[in-house]
Amino acid sequence: MLLAIVCSIVFTFGLCGAGRQEPARRVVLIRLLDILQSVPISGFLTFTVVFFMNLFPGRVLGAELACVFAIFTSRPGT
């Protein structure tokens, strides 16, 4: 969970920095984030769990990475 939160914070500050430079880029980023947040996490969570579990068969690391991905993609907007 700590990894997911750190990735989320780094991503947020990166987007803030990119949006601060140009107003036109800010509009595009806000619209893109609105579209990406409207995709329900339950729609693709099963596929990502299978994907991560197949990356590391027989290990818990795949499930942990799937959890990190789920937390990162379901976080509130910036």
Side-chain angles (χ1 to χ4, degrees):
M1 284 174 96
L2 181 64
L3 178 63
I5 291 171
V6 169
C7 289
S8 181
I9 290 172
V10 169
F11 183 75
T12 300
F13 284 126
L15 279 180
C16 289
R20 193 173 1 149
Q21 293 174 354
E22 285 186 43
R25 188 183 302 167
R26 182 181 319 145
V27 172
V28 171
L29 287 174
I30 289 173
R31 290 182 181 164
L32 181 66
L33 285 174
D34 284 341
I35 292 169
L36 291 175
Q37 286 179 350
S38 67
V39 176
I41 190 166
S42 60
F44 61 86
L45 185 61
T46 54
F47 300 111
T48 56
V49 169
V50 170
F51 172 75
F52 284 117
M53 293 298 283
N54 285 331
L55 279 179
F56 303 99
R59 297 183 62 197
V60 180
L61 184 61
E64 291 178 357
L65 288 176
C67 290
V68 168
F69 182 78
I71 293 169
F72 180 75
T73 55
S74 65
R75 67 181 179 73
T78 55

